[in-house]
Amino acid sequence: MDSSLIAKILAFVLYLGFMVYIGLRYAGSNSSATDFFLGGRKVGPWMTALSAEASDMSGWLLMGLPGLAYLGGIREAFWTALGLILGTYLNWLFVAKPLRKCTIAFGNAITIPEFLTNRLKDKTHILSIVSVVFIILFFTIYTASGFVACAKLFNSVFGIDYHKGLIIGLVVILSYTILGGYLAVCTTDFVQGTLMFIALIVVGSVMTISLGGPAEAVAKVSEFSARAMSGEFTDAMKDAFSNNQNYSFMNIVSALAWGLGYFGMPHIIVRFMGIESNAAVKISRRIATVWVIVAFVGAVLAGAFGSAFLFDKIEGGVLASSETVVSAAIQEIFSKNAAFVFVGAIFLCAILAAAMSTADSQLLVASSAFSRDIYKGLVSKDASEKTVLNVSRVTVFVIAAIAFVLSLNPESSIFKLVSYAWAGFGATFGPLILLSLFWRSLTALGAICGLIGGGVAVVLWRHLDGGIFNIYEILPGFVICGALAIIVSLFDKNKDESVFAAFDEYRKMPD
C-alpha cells in the first residue's frame, strides 16, 4: 500500500468518523419530536442557510451537473443553474418567513403534511395520507441518487467495488441521522456545505489557470467539442455532443423550470420552519444566494473545463464516466506527494458531502412525515414522544433500505434520478405551499385534487416522448396541480368559514 493511498484512506476515515461523532454528540439533545425534527426551532441563520443549500444540492452538484457540462451540455447546465439560482432566491424571499410564521400559527406544525392538514382543517386526514405517500415515494428515489453518488465516488477514488461503496455510504448516513436528528443533520450539512463551497472554488480556479486563463480555456474546450463531435473518441460521446448542440427554446424553458421545484421541496422548506426567528431569515437568504451562485459557477466550470484539463492526463483522453470529472480533476491537481494527496482527499470528501447532506435530510423529513402524520396521527394518537422518535428511527432505516435496493444498478444516472424526484416534489407540493400561504380560499378538497393531479402528471409525462412531451415534467405537473387546486377550491361547497378566519389572523401576525 503506497503513501498516496494511505493518505486518501486517512482523509476519508477522519471525515466519515467526524460525521458519526456529530451524530453521537447530538444524540442526547432530542427529548421531543420537535427537537428531533426541527431542532426546537432554534437553529441560527448561518447553519440554516448552509444546511438548506447543502441538503438541496446532493451528489448531482459535484457529479451530475459537471458530468452534463463535460459532455458539451454547457447550454443546459447554464440554464438549469440559472433556474435554480432564481428559484433559491425567490423561495427564501417569498416563502421562508411566511411559512415559519404560518406553521407556528396553525398548531405549531413540524411537518409539511401536518401543516397542510392544520391549515385546511382536513378532518378526513386524506390530505395527510396522500402527502406522506408522495413524500416517501419521491424521497426514496432522491435518496437512491445520493447512495449512487457515494458508491461511484468510492469506486473512482479507491477502486472499491460499487456495491461495497454503496454499503459504506449507507452505514455512515444512517448512523448520524438516526442518532442525532435535525441538529446533527444541520451541523453535518453546515460542515459539508462549507467543504463543497471551497472545493468548487479551488477546482474551478486551478483548472482555469492551468489552461492559460478563461479565454484560452474556452478555446481548448471548443477544440475538444469539435473532436468529440467528429467521432474521434466514442460513438456515445459523439451522440451526446451532437444532441447538446441542438438546444431549443423549449429546452431552455425546461431548464429554467427547475427553479419551480424549490417551492415544494420538503427537505429545504423544513429549514424555514426550524430557523430561530423571522429576523434571521434575511441573513440566511443572503448567505444562501451567494453560496448557490458560487457553487453553480464552480460546478459548470469544473465540468466544462475538465474536458480540456484532463485530456492529456488520462488514458484515451476521455473519462469512462462523465460524472466523475470533478473527482478525476481533484486527484490530478493534488497528486504531487502524500501531503497534497491528503488535501485532495479532503476535497474529494466534498463530493461525498454533497451526497450525504441531501440523503440525511431526505431520510429525516420522510421519517417525520410517516411517524407524525401516519403513526401518531392515525394509528396511535396517544403515542408518547419517545415512541414517535423510535418509530421515526425505524422508518429512516426502512426507507434507506428501499433506496439502497433502487441504487444497486451501477449504471444509474445521478442526474436522471434527481430530476425525477425534483419534479415530483415541485409539481405536488410547490403550488400548495404557495396557495396555503397567500390564498385564503384554498380548501382541503382542492389541495387533495391538486396533489394527486400534479403527482400523476409527473409520473405519466416522464414516460412520454416527442413534441411538447419533451418539456421537463415539473412544468406541466406544477400547472396541473395549481389549476386543479384553485378550480376545485372555487367550486367546493363545503367551505369552512373558520379556516378563512384563522388565515386572516395569521396574515395579521407581525413579521
Side-chain angles (χ1 to χ4, degrees):
M1 186 179 295
D2 60 30
S3 58
S4 294
L5 183 56
I6 293 174
K8 289 179 182 179
I9 294 174
L10 179 61
F12 272 74
V13 169
L14 288 174
Y15 177 78
L16 295 175
F18 183 54
M19 295 299 101
V20 175
Y21 164 76
I22 291 174
L24 291 170
R25 170 70 176 77
Y26 285 105
S29 303
N30 301 306
S31 57
S32 67
T34 303
D35 289 337
F36 188 75
F37 298 131
L38 286 184
R41 296 188 190 265
K42 55 187 178 185
V43 181
W46 276 90
M47 190 175 291
T48 297
L50 291 189
S51 175
E53 299 318 310
S55 65
D56 163 18
M57 293 309 161
S58 75
W60 84 277
L61 176 65
L62 286 98
M63 297 186 79
L65 188 63
L68 181 67
Y70 178 85
L71 291 175
I74 303 299
R75 293 184 182 88
E76 183 173 357
F78 169 78
W79 289 110
T80 300
L82 180 60
L84 290 171
I85 289 170
L86 292 173
T88 297
Y89 180 76
L90 294 176
N91 200 29
W92 278 98
L93 182 64
F94 293 117
V95 175
K97 193 179 293 184
L99 182 64
R100 182 183 187 276
K101 186 171 66 173
C102 197
T103 53
I104 294 174
F106 287 91
N108 196 31
I110 62 177
T111 69
I112 298 304
E114 183 180 13
F115 162 63
L116 292 174
T117 298
N118 292 352
R119 161 71 177 84
L120 303 173
K121 290 193 175 182
D122 178 28
K123 298 178 181 179
T124 66
H125 292 284
I126 295 176
L127 178 57
S128 179
I129 294 171
V130 175
S131 297
V132 173
V133 168
F134 278 120
I135 284 176
I136 292 177
L137 170 64
F138 290 118
F139 265 151
T140 302
I141 297 172
Y142 213 146
T143 303
S145 73
F147 290 164
V148 170
C150 290
K152 286 189 175 183
L153 178 64
F154 284 123
N155 178 261
S156 171
V157 177
F158 299 110
I160 295 176
D161 176 74
Y162 175 87
H163 297 100
K164 292 179 180 177
L166 205 59
I167 293 172
I168 295 173
L170 173 69
V171 170
V172 174
I173 293 170
L174 278 178
S175 297
Y176 69 79
T177 304
I178 290 176
L179 287 171
Y182 186 80
L183 288 176
V185 166
C186 280
T187 304
T188 53
D189 286 356
F190 177 84
V191 174
Q192 292 162 340
T194 303
L195 186 58
M196 291 158 64
F197 185 83
I198 296 173
L200 285 169
I201 292 176
V202 171
V203 173
S205 299
V206 171
M207 277 188 180
T208 304
I209 295 171
S210 299
L211 292 172
E216 187 67 19
V218 171
K220 290 180 178 178
V221 170
S222 298
E223 180 185 352
F224 180 89
S225 300
R227 296 172 70 174
M229 290 183 66
S230 70
E232 180 176 331
F233 306 128
T234 65
D235 291 338
M237 181 164 279
K238 178 181 178 181
D239 292 340
F241 272 81
S242 298
N243 291 335
N244 286 323
Q245 297 305 310
N246 303 316
Y247 205 68
S248 66
F249 172 76
M250 295 309 296
N251 293 131
I252 294 176
V253 172
S254 290
L256 288 174
W258 275 75
L260 295 174
Y262 280 103
F263 301 118
M265 215 55 54
H267 62 295
I268 297 173
I269 58 180
V270 74
R271 297 306 195 273
F272 304 156
M273 298 159 64
I275 197 168
E276 63 183 2
S277 67
N278 287 338
V281 170
K282 187 175 183 179
I283 300 173
S284 291
R285 181 175 71 242
R286 291 173 176 173
I287 297 168
T289 303
V290 171
W291 189 98
V292 78
I293 290 174
V294 174
F296 278 129
V297 170
V300 173
L301 286 181
F305 290 177
S307 58
F309 178 77
L310 293 169
F311 179 72
D312 58 355
K313 299 178 178 64
I314 56 178
E315 184 178 351
V318 296
L319 293 168
S321 174
S322 62
E323 293 186 327
T324 62
V325 58
V326 174
S327 64
I330 290 175
Q331 292 181 83
E332 178 61 35
I333 292 169
F334 296 94
S335 60
K336 186 175 182 180
N337 53 48
F340 269 65
V341 170
F342 179 81
V343 175
I346 293 296
F347 284 131
L348 285 172
C349 288
I351 303 176
L352 190 63
M356 293 170 62
S357 61
T358 302
D360 57 19
S361 298
Q362 293 162 348
L363 288 171
L364 190 64
V365 173
S367 70
S368 67
F370 178 81
S371 61
R372 290 280 299 183
D373 302 302
I374 299 298
Y375 181 77
K376 185 174 177 62
L378 299 175
V379 178
S380 180
K381 295 183 179 181
D382 297 325
S384 66
E385 291 288 320
K386 184 177 181 180
T387 301
V388 173
L389 289 178
N390 290 333
V391 171
S392 299
R393 289 179 168 122
V394 171
T395 307
V396 167
F397 181 83
V398 172
I399 294 173
I402 298 173
F404 176 82
V405 173
L406 293 178
S407 57
L408 287 174
N409 181 9
E411 301 302 318
S412 298
S413 168
I414 298 169
F415 193 87
K416 289 180 179 179
L417 286 170
V418 171
S419 68
Y420 194 6
W422 189 268
F425 283 122
T428 50
F429 293 104
L432 299 189
I433 292 296
L434 293 174
L435 291 171
S436 295
L437 297 177
F438 301 108
W439 192 47
R440 72 194 296 268
S441 298
L442 179 66
T443 67
L445 181 59
I448 293 169
C449 293
L451 196 63
I452 296 174
V456 171
V458 166
V459 174
L460 293 180
W461 205 277
R462 182 77 175 182
H463 298 90
L464 298 174
D465 294 311
I468 63 169
F469 300 121
N470 285 331
I471 295 175
Y472 182 27
E473 55 267 24
I474 192 174
L475 187 56
F478 193 95
V479 172
I480 290 171
C481 174
L484 282 175
I486 292 173
I487 293 171
V488 174
S489 293
L490 290 175
F491 284 93
D492 187 0
K493 297 181 179 180
N494 298 313
K495 293 184 173 66
D496 188 339
E497 291 298 327
S498 66
V499 174
F500 298 155
F503 180 84
D504 293 337
E505 288 299 315
Y506 139 69
R507 294 293 288 175
K508 294 177 183 177
M509 292 173 61
D511 289 335

